[in-house]
């Protein structure tokens, strides 16, 4: 990995070559401008200085008649001043001047270990514009590339800087997505991918990027007539949102990127590997502590907080094997519905005359952890906090932003508002034995202004500081990022939280797609997946318990249902599901995620394979009716081709059913033994399933 090559044979050309996990990045840092991206993709093997020089020569594009005489470099930070006709990497101006910065290379620093990635720091300067630039690139051992740029105002005055899956052809022009929600948003996947035509989960070359930022952001794909294909992204700054005084600097969010030569599963491997290796990952923060099975009270009781009812719910949950009991919205002052109370983070004395202590003690006495719902960034206009401090709302002076779910946003960039929220949360965590916060964020930031200018940037940084300080004070408390469900899912918020709630829609059929695409970037243990009641309250659909249970099995599992009122057979099925999940939890939360390019679009196949290839769990999900009378064979990839495996169905809250005269013989016999190569290339036949049914297969090396 990182080797800097310079020799007379290369005509004094300097190249940087980073390698890890089968992919590589080659940069031409010979100057005088910023580095040129020579290659980002498959590992090129060992390169001698002579080969590096030849690679550089072979990849310098011709200069067309419509370009500057020296051509246009494919720079790491594209600049209009070089003739780049696409989206510039840096927008801004100095009081109307220096609107097209042109950096020259001022230095390169590098550290790395052969074949294990490496880190590069590039320094650039534009003396005419009075700007200094630091670009940081790191190729991690999992093959994930992350980079960010920091720009510093070295001049004497200030300036400001502006700024469900879809598949499109990567044609000439720019495909741009701007997220202006003040949070990551619900309206798109959290990443941008480009690949060879028809790429899938297990085939094709794919390049992907993700902006690790929880506020306004942009991503784009751009193909230019000059031959460049560019993927980019960063924070979307509104006019005047960031102004740099002399000596001040602005650092972009981290941009995470990955290349895969084996389809989207390779992208997942890079992202999952990096996330699992971080010190902030729950398994690294709390070694040896598995991700607990959760029961959340929202769809069980909503705002009807009654101690006796909640105690019975906790008793039932503990009997099922639940390990974390979370009290959702409705516990604080004035909160009998969603029109009042946000900001008044005191236990409601009318509902809880003895405080939360009796419920916390009861839950802890049952051997479960206690969790609590909060929405610290919001305030209700009908609240004691708003009546005392209406000026704490994040909005333009003299007017309120549009109401959203009867609430406004609290300006946490105001020191006094920040101190109040921090103080109340810290007091709750000190008074009660709380191990988990479900941290919600139920509206977009609309007309958000702080100190007279656009305020999303400052608000996002304030939220990060708040979460960081709470973690410093209470390091054992886990936090879930919930934002009307999955509205704030990104690697910025996950630096400070322990999981995300993928969606407020708990319909198992909808959840199949939601979890599939969230899981493209996030490993299963970071994604909350709960079993809901028979009828989903968001869609009105009714699903069998086995389908709901299989859907929730492959994630950080939990329950969102009044199980105390469930039928005995339903509770028995839930208990079986909990036992399976807990028995397979190390695999589900530590294995390699595999998704199959199944030929029948009516069904999906996905699984998790142990790192040592000793075992696996696969799910076959019948989404709709099939045009085929008999299901296609199901291939099970990712196993060791030369090992023998036993494949057997697993009852997860019961086995599914379908209309058929007889299931395949191996299924009726309870299992079959085949090599990993046969399972990957030929597969096995499954019984006919009705729509919205799912089957789990356990694969074990013999």
């Amino acid at each position: 990995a990182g080797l800097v090559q310079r020799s007379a044979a290369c005509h004094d050309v300097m190249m940087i070559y980073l390698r890890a996990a089968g992919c590589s990045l080659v940069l031409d840092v010979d100057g005088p401008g910023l580095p040129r991206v020579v290659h980002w993709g498959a590992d090129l093997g060992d390169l001698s200085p002579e080969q590096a020089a030849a690679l550089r020569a072979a990849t310098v594009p011709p200069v067309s008649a419509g370009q500057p005489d020296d051509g246009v470099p494919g720079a790491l930070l594209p600049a209009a001043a070089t003739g780049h006709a696409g989206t510039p990497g840096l927008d801004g101006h100095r009081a109307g001047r220096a609107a097209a910065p042109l950096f020259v290379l001022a230095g390169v620093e590098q550290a790395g270990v052969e074949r294990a990635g490496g880190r590069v720091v590039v320094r650039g300067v534009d003396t005419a514009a009075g700007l200094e630039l630091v670009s940081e690139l790191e190729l991690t051992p999992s093959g994930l590339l992350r980079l960010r740029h920091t720009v510093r105002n070295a001049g004497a005055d200030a300036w400001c800087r502006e700024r469900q899956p879809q598949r499109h052809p990567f044609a000439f022009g720019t495909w741009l997505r701007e997220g202006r929600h003040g949070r990551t948003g619900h309206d798109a996947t959290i990443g941008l991918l480009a690949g060879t035509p028809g790429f899938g989960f297990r085939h094709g070359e794919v390049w992907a990027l993700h902006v690790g930022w929880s506020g306004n952001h942009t991503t784009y794909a751009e193909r230019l007539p000059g031959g460049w294909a560019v993927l980019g992204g960063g924070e979307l700054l509104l006019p005047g949102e960031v102004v740099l005084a002399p000596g001040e600097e602005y650092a972009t969010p981290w941009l995470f990127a990955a290349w895969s030569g084996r389809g989207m599963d390779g992208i997942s491997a890079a992202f999952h590997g990096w996330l699992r290796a971080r010190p902030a990952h729950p398994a690294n923060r709390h070694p040896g502590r598995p991700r607990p099975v959760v029961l959340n009270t929202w769809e069980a009781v909503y705002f009807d907080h009654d101690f006796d009812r909640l105690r019975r719910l906790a008793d039932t949950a503990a009997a099922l094997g639940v390990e974390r009991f979370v009290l959702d919205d409705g516990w604080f002052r004035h909160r009998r519905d969603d029109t009042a109370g946000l900001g008044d983070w005191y236990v409601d004395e009318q509902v809880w005359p003895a405080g939360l202590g009796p419920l916390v003690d009861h839950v802890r006495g049952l051997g479960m952890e206690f969790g609590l719902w909060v929405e610290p960034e919001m305030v209700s206009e009908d609240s004691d906090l708003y009546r005392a401090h209406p000026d704490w709302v994040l909005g333009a002076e003299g007017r309120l932003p549009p109401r959203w779910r009867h609430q406004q946003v609290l300006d946490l960039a105001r020191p006094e508002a920040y101190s109040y929220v921090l103080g109340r949360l810290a007091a709750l965590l000190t008074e009660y034995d709380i191990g988990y916060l479900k941290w919600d964020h139920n509206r977009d930031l609309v007309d958000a202004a702080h100190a007279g200018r656009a305020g999303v940037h400052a608000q996002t940084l304030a939220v990060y500081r708040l979460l960081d300080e709470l973690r410093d004070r209470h390091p054992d408390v886990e936090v879930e990022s919930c934002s009307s469900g999955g509205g704030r899912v990104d690697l910025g918020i996950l630096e400070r939280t322990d999981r995300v709630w993928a969606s407020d829609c708990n319909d198992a059929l909808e959840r199949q797609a939601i979890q599939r695409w969230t899981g493209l970037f996030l490993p299963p243990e970071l994604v909350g997946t709960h079993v809901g009641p028979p009828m989903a309250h968001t869609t009105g659909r009714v699903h069998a318990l086995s389908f709901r249970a299989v859907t929730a099995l492959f994630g950080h599992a939990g329950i969102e249902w009044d199980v105390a009122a469930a039928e005995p057979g339903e509770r028995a099925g839930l208990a079986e599901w909990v036992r399976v999940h807990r028995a397979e939890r190390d695999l589900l939360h530590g294995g390699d995620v595999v998704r199959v390019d199944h030929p029948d679009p009516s069904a999906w196949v996905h699984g998790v394979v142990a790192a040592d290839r000793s075992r696996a769990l696969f799910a076959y999900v019948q989404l709709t009716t099939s045009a085929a009378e008999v299901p296609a064979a199901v291939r099970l990839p990712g196993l060791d081709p030369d090992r023998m495996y036993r494949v057997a169905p697993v009852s997860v809250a019961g086995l599914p059913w379908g209309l058929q005269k007889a299931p395949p013989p191996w299924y009726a016999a309870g299992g079959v033994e085949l090599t990993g190569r046969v399972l990957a290339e030929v597969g096995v036949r499954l019984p006919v399933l009705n729509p919205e049914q799912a089957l789990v297969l356990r694969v074990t090396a013999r």
Side-chain angles (χ1 to χ4, degrees), residues 10 59 105 115 203 231 245 255 260 301 306 313 327 335 363 459 464 471 484 501 513 519 557-558 610 618 652 660 674:
C10 299
T59 56
L105 191 63
R115 296 185 183 276
H203 68 277
L231 301 181
L255 185 71
S260 167
V301 302
D306 174 81
L313 184 61
L327 183 66
R335 192 65 167 178
V363 167
Q459 179 78 358
Y464 286 173
R471 175 165 286 182
S484 312
W501 180 230
F618 284 89
V652 180
Q660 57 198 317
L674 294 166

Side-chain angles (χ1 to χ4, degrees), residues 349-371:
E349 299 87 349
Q350 295 182 355
V351 179
W352 299 95
L356 292 179
L359 180 62
V360 174
D361 292 343
H362 186 74
V363 167
R364 298 292 291 127
L366 292 168
M368 295 186 294
E369 183 182 291
F370 184 82

Side-chain angles (χ1 to χ4, degrees), residues 103-158:
F103 291 98
V104 298
L105 191 63
V108 179
E109 304 164 15
Q110 184 183 11
V113 180
E114 184 70 19
R115 296 185 183 276
R119 185 171 183 271
V120 180
V121 178
V122 177
R123 303 184 186 278
V125 62
D126 182 343
T127 55
L131 300 175
E132 296 175 354
L133 178 75
V134 177
S135 300
E136 302 168 77
L137 299 93
E138 180 184 6
L139 186 63
T140 71
S142 72
L144 183 67
L145 175 67
R146 66 175 192 152
L147 62 106
R148 70 177 174 186
H149 305 282
T150 301
V151 64
R152 180 176 182 271
N153 181 6
D157 55 358

Side-chain angles (χ1 to χ4, degrees), residues 505-683:
C505 179
N506 221 21
D507 179 313
L509 183 62
E510 300 291 332
R511 270 303 188 112
Q512 283 290 330
I514 291 166
Q515 292 168 196
R516 167 171 282 218
W517 297 108
T518 303
L520 181 62
F521 292 93
L522 306 187
E525 68 272 17
L526 298 184
V527 181
T529 56
H530 291 188
V531 175
M535 187 178 75
H537 73 160
T538 52
T539 64
R541 284 197 189 101
V542 175
H543 288 124
L545 176 57
S546 61
F547 184 64
R548 286 143 48 214
V550 171
T551 300
L553 183 70
F554 291 81
H556 186 189
I559 300 170
E560 199 94 8
W561 181 13
D562 185 1
V563 291
E567 297 293 332
E570 292 175 317
R571 290 199 295 270
L574 274 176
E576 179 182 66
W577 167 74
V578 171
R579 287 194 298 272
V580 171
H581 180 82
R582 291 175 60 168
E584 303 287 355
R585 184 161 44 189
D586 61 329
L587 169 62
L588 292 166
H589 295 171
D592 297 335
V593 173
V594 173
R595 285 150 300 207
V596 181
D597 294 306
H598 191 59
D600 187 342
S602 73
W604 284 351
V605 183
H606 64 89
V608 182
V609 180
D612 64 1
R613 304 296 181 259
S614 62
R615 59 192 177 115
L617 281 181
F618 284 89
Y620 174 86
V621 183
Q622 191 68 51
L623 302 169
T624 64
T625 55
S626 174
E629 185 176 350
V630 176
V634 174
R635 297 177 178 180
L636 306 178
L639 303 167
D640 185 335
D642 298 320
R643 294 178 79 173
M644 185 68 72
Y645 292 92
R646 177 173 175 79
V647 182
V650 180
S651 176
V652 180
L655 290 169
W657 63 91
L659 294 176
Q660 57 198 317
K661 293 181 178 179
W666 79 267
Y667 185 87
V672 66
E673 293 191 6
L674 294 166
T675 66
R677 180 174 285 104
V678 171
L679 290 172
E681 298 297 333
V682 180

Side-chain angles (χ1 to χ4, degrees), residues 25 68 77 148 150 175 216 227 237 302 387 449 609 616 621 676 691 693:
L25 173 72
L77 192 72
R148 70 177 174 186
T150 301
W175 184 90
N216 293 336
L237 289 168
Y302 296 101
R387 285 183 281 271
V609 180
V621 183
Q693 293 282 343

Side-chain angles (χ1 to χ4, degrees), residues 19-306:
R19 307 166 62 192
C23 65
S24 63
L25 173 72
V26 182
L27 298 176
D28 177 357
V29 293
D30 192 41
L34 295 178
R36 177 175 73 93
V37 181
V38 175
H39 168 77
W40 174 40
D43 193 331
L44 302 181
D46 295 331
L47 289 181
S48 67
E50 291 75 20
Q51 289 173 321
L55 175 62
R56 181 182 188 277
T59 56
V60 174
V63 179
S64 72
Q67 291 181 316
D69 291 347
D70 292 331
V72 180
L76 190 64
L77 192 72
T82 66
H84 179 77
T87 304
L90 174 63
D91 275 337
H93 60 88
R94 184 183 294 281
R97 305 185 309 278
L102 182 62
F103 291 98
V104 298
L105 191 63
V108 179
E109 304 164 15
Q110 184 183 11
V113 180
E114 184 70 19
R115 296 185 183 276
R119 185 171 183 271
V120 180
V121 178
V122 177
R123 303 184 186 278
V125 62
D126 182 343
T127 55
L131 300 175
E132 296 175 354
L133 178 75
V134 177
S135 300
E136 302 168 77
L137 299 93
E138 180 184 6
L139 186 63
T140 71
S142 72
L144 183 67
L145 175 67
R146 66 175 192 152
L147 62 106
R148 70 177 174 186
H149 305 282
T150 301
V151 64
R152 180 176 182 271
N153 181 6
D157 55 358
W159 67 289
C160 59
R161 182 175 185 269
E162 303 179 8
R163 90 162 235 275
Q164 247 339 307
Q166 303 175 37
R167 195 177 278 230
H168 307 277
F170 199 170
F172 288 124
T174 303
W175 184 90
L176 171 69
R177 178 185 181 268
E178 293 183 341
R180 296 177 179 266
H181 300 284
R183 51 180 172 168
T184 321
H186 293 90
D187 55 352
T189 57
I190 58 175
L192 176 64
L193 287 76
T196 50
F199 69 88
F201 285 110
R202 304 290 296 178
H203 68 277
E205 273 194 284
V206 186
W207 291 259
L209 64 80
H210 165 81
V211 179
W213 179 248
S214 308
N216 293 336
H217 63 283
T218 181
T219 53
Y220 67 90
E222 190 168 66
R223 188 179 293 278
L224 303 174
W228 302 114
V230 180
L231 301 181
E235 182 180 7
L236 193 161
L237 289 168
L238 300 179
E241 190 162 12
V242 170
V243 176
L244 297 182
E248 290 185 339
E249 59 187 34
Y250 164 79
T252 70
W254 284 107
L255 185 71
F256 296 84
W259 168 86
S260 167
R262 53 186 181 91
M264 290 182 283
D265 276 2
I267 299 297
S268 296
F271 275 87
H272 295 183
W274 182 80
L275 282 162
R276 286 170 167 169
R278 300 170 306 142
H281 190 276
N284 299 325
R285 289 181 61 216
H286 309 295
R289 187 168 103 180
R291 314 295 291 130
V293 176
V294 179
L295 183 137
N296 190 72
T297 66
W298 178 242
E299 292 188 41
V301 302
Y302 296 101
F303 290 107
D304 183 16
H305 283 204
D306 174 81

